[in-house]
């Protein structure tokens, strides 16, 4: 191939006047050297390799990243009303088929710096289905040249009319440079899937070096998944949806949900809907264990899926490949979640059917072979690198105590994402428990989760609950300690954290192991200094006789001569005094220890002194005057102060409901 025809040297932007002379000098020198260079086996080194090196060198020296318009594409200026051509998309299976198109007109500046070509589409299925979600990205051709991707349509439209994103806008996104280390390259096939999905656990892949656009804003130790979703709805949704009065919207991204039921489907809709995704119950294929004959490469017009979770439950956003260029491709013709730089697994997809709807029709499909990663999510397209591997982590859920359950063990792989990972962990755990323990009777559950964190080891987190008449569901896990801890770690402000594995074991008993605190009484209203206060708890079990339990709460001698109020509360509601974390190590140490044992009662009373927390350390009691010493006079980085208190946990082996307060008088010390 002549050197002047390599993509690096096609003048394509206002940078060309500067970039080409520099690139040409580099290329000329390399080309001259190439004629005399041979490899170790005596063969001439191909000139194209050196041309590629010249391109890289030119980019490194400041040449433009934009690419020229390829000769097999048609500039939008040459697209005229009435021109006829065809599009490619998958109507069924994995092989693209043609459908006829006719140009109506062009909308200028439909999006910022982006036009939109209006077309009529003709195909027996499209005459019924009209605008189809999942066709986003279908390449459109006029005179045998690609003009862009099917991407937009009218809601409730009575005609098969679509909007086409120009190919130049999509290729500009393909040329956009990515930060180094976004998605690690792999030279061979993808690793074997996690055990339970079809093989041995894969080697952990590094998470993206650059955080995506789906981070949580707020104190790291106050992470809340519902709050995170609300933040994203405010930040992301306006960029995805045009004014409702126009009715012209993205052809949208249907998310095929497999293995989910009941509450998990609703939660998926609540969390993903505001981000421009349309969750729908469909099914999930075996992308990790492809069937024989499944395609191994992406093709123009082929179906593509972005896998958010896979295994015993699955969620995949489905669309269409527009153009494959080497290892990379562009698809969709619009953003998926408009998150910019990303690292989410992708897969070749199979289409089962196009379901016609009065609102907007959609493709029903499934992933059939995992290949590559979505590395960019932009206004005009998503960009996929088929030679990149997106980070995922395995999750295993084991349900104990349900005799004869047909499926007590669940295995999934979850995309390593700041928002999607906590979302699908909550759904995976809740869905597994709901499906396995679908009982409307008394029930108590305890979930112990082992969360393995890269470089920081494994922490154990305990969640629990009890109830009557309502089966366990994903609602019970959206606010779980596991989900909140994962959210805090993935959204911390200090460094990227790699979640390597999650193992949850849920023990279920069909009994309400709960007691109601009906009252509390101090057995001796006055006690000697240093002696314990004895308190009788009146406990009402569920469907059982009243019980009494006497507990002892040590009272320190320093409270002699005072009246002491003792608060009694369930352990799961009492937070230990802890310092605000200043790094990931402190956060990891804090997460499993924020509350007391869930099956305990905690007696709390105040002391006369103050306590302080500073740089990860907590002093629960400080002598008089200590705060003046600790508080710097010229530095705002001061300790956090609080009233000193004593917390005494007493195990009950059952969950306590209710609170109470009692008082005891401590006799003065006579000298």
């Amino acid at each position: 191939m002549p050197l002047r025809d390599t993509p690096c040297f096609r003048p394509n932007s206002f940078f060309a006047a500067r970039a080409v002379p520099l690139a040409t000098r580099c290329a000329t020198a390399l080309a001259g050297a190439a004629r005399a260079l041979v490899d170790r086996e005596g063969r001439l080194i191909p000139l194209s390799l050196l041309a590629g090196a010249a391109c890289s060198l030119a980019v490194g020296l400041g040449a433009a990243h934009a690419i020229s318009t390829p000769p097999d594409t048609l500039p939008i200026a040459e697209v005229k009303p009435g021109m006829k051509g065809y599009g490619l998309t998958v109507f069924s299976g994995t092989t693209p088929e043609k459908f006829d198109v006719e140009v109506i007109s062009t909308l200028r500046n439909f999006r910022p710096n982006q036009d939109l070509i209006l077309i009529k589409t003709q195909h027996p299925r499209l005459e019924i289905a009209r605008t189809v979600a999942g066709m986003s990205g279908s390449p459109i051709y006029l005179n045998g040249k690609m003009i862009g991707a099917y991407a937009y349509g009218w809601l409730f439209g009575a005609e098969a009319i679509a909007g086409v994103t120009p190919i130049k806008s999509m290729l500009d996104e393909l040329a956009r440079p990515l930060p180094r280390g976004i998605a690690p390259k792999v030279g061979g096939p993808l690793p074997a899937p996690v055990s339970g999905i079809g093989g041995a656990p894969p080697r952990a892949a590094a998470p993206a070096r650059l955080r995506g656009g789906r981070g949580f804003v707020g104190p790291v130790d106050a992470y809340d998944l519902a709050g995170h979703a609300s933040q994203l709805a405010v930040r992301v949704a306006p960029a995805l949806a045009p004014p409702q009065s126009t009715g012209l919207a993205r052809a949208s991204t249907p998310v095929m949900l497999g293995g989910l039921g009941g509450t998990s489907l609703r939660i998926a809709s609540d969390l993903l809907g505001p981000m421009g995704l349309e969750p729908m119950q469909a099914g999930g294929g075996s992308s990790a264990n492809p069937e024989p004959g499944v395609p191994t490469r992406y093709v123009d017009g082929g179906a593509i899926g972005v896998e958010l979770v896979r295994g015993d439950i699955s969620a995949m956003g489905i669309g269409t490949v527009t153009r494959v260029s080497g290892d990379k491709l562009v698809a969709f013709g619009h953003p998926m979640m408009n998150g910019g730089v990303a690292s989410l697994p992708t897969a070749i997809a199979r289409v089962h059917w196009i379901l016609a709807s009065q609102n907007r029709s959609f493709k029903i499909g499934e992933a059939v072979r995992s290949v590559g990663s979505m590395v960019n999510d932009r206004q005009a397209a998503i960009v996929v690198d088929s030679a990149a591997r997106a980070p995922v982590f395995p999750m295993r859920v084991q349900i104990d105590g349900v005799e004869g359950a047909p499926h007590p063990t669940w295995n999934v792989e979850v995309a390593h994402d700041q928002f999607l990972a906590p979302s699908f962990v909550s759904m995976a755990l809740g869905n597994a428990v709901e499906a396995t323990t679908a009982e409307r009777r008394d029930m108590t559950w305890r979930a112990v989760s082992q969360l393995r964190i890269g470089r920081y080891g494994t922490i154990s987190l305990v969640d629990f609950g009890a109830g009557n008449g309502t089966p366990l569901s994903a609602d019970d896990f959206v606010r779980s300690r596991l989900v909140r801890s994962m959210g805090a770690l993935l959204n911390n402000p200090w460094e990227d954290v790699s979640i390597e594995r999650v193992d949850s074991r849920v023990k279920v008993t069909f009994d309400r192991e709960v007691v109601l605190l009906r009252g509390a009484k101090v057995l001796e209203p006055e006690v000697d200094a240093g002696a314990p206060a004895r308190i009788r708890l009146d406990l009402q079990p569920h469907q059982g006789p009243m019980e009494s339990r006497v507990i002892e709460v040590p009272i320190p001698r320093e409270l002699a001569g005072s009246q002491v109020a003792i608060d009694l509360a369930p352990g799961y509601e009492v937070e230990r005094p802890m310092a605000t974390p200043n790094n990931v190590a402190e956060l990891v140490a804090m997460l499993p220890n924020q509350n007391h044992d869930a099956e305990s009662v905690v007696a709390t009373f105040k002391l006369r002194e103050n306590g302080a927390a500073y740089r990860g350390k907590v002093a629960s009691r400080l002598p008089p005057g200590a705060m003046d010493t600790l508080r710097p006079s010229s530095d705002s980085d001061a300790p956090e102060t609080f009233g000193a208190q004593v917390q005494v946990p007493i195990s009950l082996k059952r969950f306590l409901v209710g609170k109470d307060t009692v008082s005891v008088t401590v006799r003065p010390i006579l000298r």
Side-chain angles (χ1 to χ4, degrees):
M1 179 174 63
L3 188 60
R4 62 178 179 275
D5 290 335
T6 60
C8 184
F9 296 98
R10 294 173 185 161
N12 55 355
S13 70
F14 70 95
F15 287 104
R18 288 184 174 178
V20 171
L22 174 60
T24 303
R25 289 196 299 270
C26 298
T28 302
L30 286 168
R35 297 186 181 94
L37 290 176
V38 295
D39 63 16
R40 293 182 179 180
E41 297 181 4
R43 296 174 298 191
L44 286 173
I45 296 177
L47 184 58
S48 59
L49 295 181
L50 292 180
C55 292
S56 301
L57 179 58
V59 169
L61 294 173
H65 287 289
I67 62 175
S68 63
T69 303
D72 60 346
T73 64
L74 192 68
I76 194 170
E78 299 180 26
V79 176
K80 306 298 181 184
M83 296 179 70
K84 295 184 178 181
Y86 66 92
L88 288 177
T89 200
V90 177
F91 289 95
S92 179
T94 58
T95 303
E97 300 177 38
K98 286 186 177 182
F99 58 94
D100 295 328
V101 304
E102 180 180 344
V103 176
I104 298 174
S105 187
T106 299
L107 301 179
R108 303 295 179 183
N109 280 331
F110 169 72
R111 289 291 201 202
N113 195 37
Q114 179 184 316
D115 299 333
L116 189 75
I117 305 166
L118 295 181
I119 61 169
K120 298 177 183 178
T121 62
Q122 295 177 341
H123 185 277
R125 193 64 198 149
L126 297 181
E127 294 300 321
I128 300 172
R130 299 185 295 275
T131 302
V132 178
M135 279 185 64
S136 296
S138 300
I140 307 299
Y141 300 86
L142 298 175
N143 298 332
K145 294 186 177 183
M146 187 182 294
I147 64 167
Y150 179 115
Y152 292 82
W154 271 265
L155 298 173
F156 303 102
E159 296 181 274
I161 294 178
V164 174
T165 298
I167 189 60
K168 182 183 183 304
S169 299
M170 301 179 70
L171 293 179
D172 285 346
E173 300 298 356
L174 184 66
R176 187 192 290 253
L178 294 172
R180 292 182 180 274
I182 288 300
K185 297 283 184 176
V186 291
L190 290 174
V194 61
S195 178
I197 301 180
R203 179 178 57 85
R209 301 294 184 198
L210 184 66
R211 295 169 184 266
R214 292 184 287 278
F216 173 75
V217 178
V220 68
D221 54 349
Y223 179 82
D224 176 73
L225 181 56
H228 194 172
S230 298
Q231 291 180 4
L232 292 179
V234 172
R235 282 152 43 191
V236 175
L240 295 176
Q244 291 300 313
S245 59
T246 67
L248 180 62
R250 302 180 301 133
S252 74
T253 306
V255 177
M256 305 288 104
L257 300 178
L260 292 178
T263 310
S264 296
L265 289 171
R266 175 182 55 77
I267 289 177
S269 181
D270 292 344
L271 294 176
L272 303 180
M275 300 180 68
L277 305 176
E278 294 187 11
M280 53 190 62
Q281 192 168 18
S286 181
S287 62
N289 293 303
E291 302 170 3
V294 167
T296 59
R297 296 179 179 275
Y298 294 108
V299 296
D300 296 358
I304 184 172
V306 179
E307 295 186 289
L308 310 179
V309 61
R310 61 195 179 203
D312 287 333
I313 71 168
S314 61
M316 177 196 72
I318 191 171
T320 304
V321 175
T322 305
R323 185 179 180 90
V324 178
S325 179
D327 285 339
K328 294 188 177 181
L329 63 89
V330 285
F332 286 21
H334 57 64
M336 180 175 175
M337 292 173 284
N338 207 41
V341 172
S343 189
L344 295 175
T346 51
I348 295 168
R350 174 192 292 131
V351 175
H352 296 298
W353 185 245
I354 293 179
L355 182 65
S357 169
Q358 292 296 324
N359 180 355
R360 173 174 290 151
S361 305
F362 57 89
K363 288 185 177 182
I364 300 175
E366 64 181 7
V368 293
R369 184 188 295 274
S370 295
V371 179
S373 168
M374 182 177 79
V375 296
N376 225 336
D377 184 10
R378 299 289 180 178
Q379 173 182 289
I382 67 167
V383 179
V384 172
D385 188 339
S386 61
R389 182 193 306 160
V392 297
F393 60 87
M395 178 178 182
R396 179 183 176 90
V397 181
Q398 175 69 41
I399 315 293
D400 294 336
V402 185
E403 186 177 353
H407 194 62
T409 304
W410 299 68
N411 290 279
V412 296
E413 287 180 329
V414 184
H416 199 288
D417 178 89
Q418 291 169 279
F419 172 69
L420 298 174
S423 298
F424 281 104
V425 163
S426 71
M427 284 184 267
L429 187 52
N431 186 76
V433 175
E434 182 178 14
T436 309
T437 65
E439 298 281 354
R440 295 189 179 277
R441 53 178 170 145
D442 294 339
M443 182 184 298
T444 301
W445 60 273
R446 300 166 178 84
V448 180
S449 300
Q450 306 298 321
L451 179 61
R452 193 164 77 199
I453 309 159
R455 296 178 52 232
Y456 292 96
T458 300
I459 59 175
S460 182
L461 302 162
V462 180
D463 289 293
F464 56 90
N468 178 36
T470 303
L472 287 175
S473 69
D475 277 334
D476 296 286
F477 295 93
V478 168
R479 284 280 301 160
S480 67
R481 293 181 183 178
L482 172 61
V483 170
R484 285 185 286 131
S485 296
M486 285 190 59
L489 288 165
L490 292 172
N491 291 274
N492 81 82
W494 305 293
E495 63 181 85
D496 286 321
V497 167
S498 173
I499 303 299
E500 294 186 343
R501 188 175 181 88
V502 178
D503 287 284
S504 295
R505 196 173 196 99
V506 184
K507 183 179 179 180
V508 177
T509 59
F510 293 101
D511 186 16
R512 290 184 69 179
E513 299 177 28
V514 175
V515 290
L516 175 65
L517 180 60
R518 297 296 299 269
K521 181 180 180 180
V522 175
L523 297 182
E524 294 88 18
E526 293 187 0
V527 298
D528 293 328
R534 297 197 310 137
I535 304 170
R536 187 187 71 205
L537 305 179
D538 294 329
L539 306 173
Q540 176 66 64
H542 176 65
Q543 295 182 343
M546 183 77 73
E547 300 177 2
S548 293
R549 169 81 180 268
V550 176
I551 63 173
E552 292 188 351
V553 180
I555 305 296
R557 292 176 60 84
E558 65 197 69
L559 295 180
S562 63
Q563 188 84 7
V564 178
I566 303 174
D567 296 324
L568 302 167
Y572 55 83
E573 292 187 4
V574 181
E575 293 186 355
R576 291 186 172 98
M578 304 194 80
T580 300
N582 293 297
N583 51 54
V584 173
E586 292 178 7
L587 177 62
V588 170
M590 180 194 76
L591 289 173
N593 300 303
Q594 289 177 290
N595 296 81
H596 289 275
D597 176 18
E599 298 179 60
S600 68
V601 59
V602 177
T604 304
F605 57 89
K606 297 180 180 178
L607 299 174
R608 296 190 178 109
E609 297 92 345
N610 288 323
Y614 186 59
R615 295 184 178 178
K617 305 296 182 182
V618 176
S620 58
R621 301 174 64 182
L622 294 173
M627 285 306 303
D628 294 334
T629 303
L630 290 175
R631 186 178 294 112
S633 59
S634 59
D635 189 350
S636 61
D637 183 18
E640 305 170 62
T641 61
F642 55 87
Q645 60 183 11
V646 173
Q647 295 178 346
V648 181
I650 297 103
S651 178
L652 296 177
K653 300 299 183 184
R654 289 175 292 183
F655 300 114
L656 179 71
V657 177
K659 300 179 181 180
D660 208 340
T661 301
V662 296
S663 295
V664 63
T665 299
V666 184
R667 298 185 183 96
I669 299 175
L670 301 178
R671 300 185 183 279

